[in-house]
Amino acid sequence: MNNLCVAHRGFSGKAPENTRAAIQMAMDEPFVEWLEIDVQMTRDGVPVVIHDFSVDRTTTGRGKVKDLTWQEIRKMDAGIWKGRQFAGEQIPSLDEVLQLVKGRLKVNIELKTSGNMYPGLEEKVLACVETHDMLSDIVLTSFEPKALVTAKKLEPKVRTGLIIDSHPRNLLSRLKRMKCTFLSIGYSHLDAAFAADLVKNGITPMAWTVDDPKVMRSLARMNPVIMICTNRPDTWGQIFMSKLGQKISFWRRIWRGWA
């Protein structure tokens, strides 16, 4: 299937982002092949899945992730802000997420860092990936080029990709210098010519964050290789799956509810 669906922080349009609930909901859609998550590190060195540098927005706790221990973070409710039905959801560790999705989803792991905010993050993340034998099933991405360079030095075989919300003229040459084979880019900065150039040079483009059906269709017309990162995998399914595929998806969800 073309224009692969990437669940942004899980099925974050319906469930609390970067939680087991959101990830499980994404997995319940059989056409979702990729998951995008954000990884930071606790004060005591545990890679955890959360987007903001602070826990304030998405949990009942307060403070910066880097200043909190794993046990402190585990006591926070990371679901109630999205709805009472999600009360009790926790911030998961990267280890827990990889254990949950192994064999079902490939994972775009964003190294959520800036400068030297998290010394050793790349090494810890790679060690976790290696533990689950998922090196071929992940890509490491980041806004921070240094993190990608460090990861590539630690593990030359790891696939890496820059995240950017612009399109500078030297972008392709930058990606080549960094040995990136993936580009995560704000969708408004993609066009057909640039997408074709990326693909020609062995770089897979992923457009984010796309919830509008018109934009999804526009990206699909540009190039079938463009991956579509969305908060609403269900919208992706309505556009790209056949009616038969939608029926199969529906009955699979019903069956899983019985099992």
Side-chain angles (χ1 to χ4, degrees):
M1 187 176 290
N2 296 331
N3 299 107
L4 296 177
C5 181
V6 184
H8 184 237
R9 307 177 199 170
F11 201 144
S12 56
K14 288 187 175 181
E17 63 185 59
N18 281 322
T19 63
R20 291 176 67 93
I23 294 165
Q24 185 61 58
M25 195 175 290
M27 285 199 295
D28 287 343
E29 299 290 354
F31 51 82
V32 174
E33 297 187 37
W34 278 83
L35 167 71
E36 187 273 347
I37 57 173
D38 308 278
V39 175
Q40 298 182 57
M41 199 158 63
T42 63
R43 192 177 76 197
D44 47 346
V46 178
V48 291
V49 179
I50 183 172
H51 175 269
D52 297 5
F53 291 133
S54 163
V55 300
D56 296 16
R57 179 177 66 88
T58 58
T59 80
T60 52
R62 292 290 182 270
K64 294 182 179 179
V65 176
K66 69 181 184 67
D67 296 331
L68 297 163
T69 67
W70 172 232
Q71 288 303 317
E72 288 172 332
I73 280 180
R74 287 300 263 187
K75 295 176 182 178
M76 300 172 186
D77 190 312
I80 190 66
W81 67 276
K82 194 74 171 181
R84 292 182 179 178
Q85 68 272 34
F86 299 112
E89 282 294 323
Q90 297 172 307
I91 294 174
S93 67
L94 176 60
D95 181 71
E96 289 172 329
V97 170
L98 295 184
Q99 186 175 6
L100 177 64
V101 305
K102 183 177 180 179
R104 172 63 180 86
L105 299 178
K106 297 182 184 297
V107 190
N108 176 343
I109 302 173
E110 178 179 346
L111 301 174
K112 200 74 181 180
T113 186
S114 179
N116 296 317
M117 179 180 288
Y118 291 116
L121 175 64
E122 302 87 358
E123 185 175 6
K124 287 287 183 70
V125 168
L126 284 167
C128 189
V129 170
E130 181 64 28
T131 295
H132 292 277
D133 193 24
M134 290 182 67
L135 190 62
S136 62
D137 295 324
I138 65 102
V139 59
L140 298 184
T141 60
S142 187
F143 280 101
E144 179 55 74
K146 292 180 181 178
L148 301 177
V149 172
T150 298
K152 201 74 174 177
K153 287 180 178 178
L154 290 168
E155 175 49 79
K157 293 181 181 179
V158 71
R159 192 178 182 195
T160 57
L162 184 68
I163 307 175
I164 195 167
D165 196 18
S166 63
H167 183 184
R169 291 183 179 180
N170 67 341
L171 182 53
L172 183 56
S173 61
R174 284 177 60 190
L175 294 172
K176 288 182 175 180
R177 285 197 304 271
M178 295 170 59
K179 299 180 180 180
C180 290
T181 55
F182 194 89
L183 174 66
S184 177
I185 187 168
Y187 73 84
S188 63
H189 302 292
L190 266 179
D191 57 45
F194 182 45
D197 206 15
L198 289 167
V199 174
K200 180 181 177 181
N201 283 275
I203 299 170
T204 301
M206 184 186 78
W208 54 268
T209 302
V210 189
D211 297 334
D212 187 325
K214 292 182 179 179
V215 177
M216 289 186 184
R217 292 189 180 97
S218 176
L219 290 166
R221 287 192 296 269
M222 283 183 198
N223 196 298
V225 178
I226 297 172
M227 298 170 70
I228 297 176
C229 188
T230 179
N231 299 313
R232 297 300 304 247
D234 53 342
T235 300
W236 186 101
Q238 291 166 7
I239 294 171
F240 296 106
M241 290 186 70
S242 65
K243 290 184 178 179
L244 175 60
Q246 290 179 30
K247 288 181 179 179
I248 292 173
S249 175
F250 171 78
W251 286 111
R252 279 182 178 175
R253 289 197 299 270
I254 295 295
W255 181 83
R256 283 172 179 163
W258 288 337

